[in-house]
Amino acid sequence: MKKRKIQHGKVKFPRFWIEMNPKYAKKSKNVVICVDGFRVGVYYTENKVEDLTIEEMVEIATYAYGLGFDEDYRIYGLIEQSVADNTL
C-alpha cells in the first residue's frame, strides 16, 4: 500500500494505482478516483467530486488520456472512514 498526506489527513491506496498529480497532494483536501476497467488513477483536488469545476474536469481528462486511460473512464469521490462507519 502507498500512503500520501493531504491537507486534512492521509490517503492509502494500492501501489499499482497511478497518481495523476502527486505534487499537489499536500495542498489538496480531496481525492478523485479515475477508473477505466484496466487502470485506477488518483487525482488530488481542493473540491469534492460533486463540486469539480469544468476546468478541473478538463485537467483530469488531460491526465487520464495522457496516462492511457480509455475514453469512457469514470470518476468517483472518496468519503471519510468515520462517515462510512456511521452508515453501517
Side-chain angles (χ1 to χ4, degrees):
M1 296 295 277
K2 188 169 190 173
K3 292 181 193 175
R4 183 70 72 175
K5 284 189 174 193
I6 59 175
Q7 267 193 18
H8 299 293
K10 59 186 162 201
V11 179
K12 240 168 115 172
F13 53 90
R15 289 195 176 278
F16 63 88
W17 286 16
I18 302 164
E19 285 187 281
M20 301 172 108
N21 60 342
K23 64 182 178 182
Y24 296 107
K26 288 185 180 178
K27 298 182 218 171
S28 299
K29 295 178 183 173
N30 294 287
V31 174
V32 173
I33 303 298
C34 300
V35 180
D36 75 353
F38 300 102
R39 291 167 208 75
V40 180
V42 179
Y43 179 85
Y44 302 100
T45 180
E46 288 291 312
N47 294 321
K48 295 179 181 178
V49 71
E50 64 267 21
D51 297 326
L52 291 173
T53 64
I54 292 188
E55 291 81 13
E56 285 176 303
M57 294 295 293
V58 168
E59 186 172 330
I60 292 170
T62 301
Y63 278 110
Y65 298 144
L67 292 166
F69 280 69
D70 290 339
E71 283 185 25
D72 63 345
Y73 74 92
R74 301 287 186 258
I75 64 170
Y76 302 94
L78 293 182
I79 61 170
E80 294 178 18
Q81 185 63 47
S82 60
V83 174
D85 290 342
N86 290 328
T87 62
L88 300 176

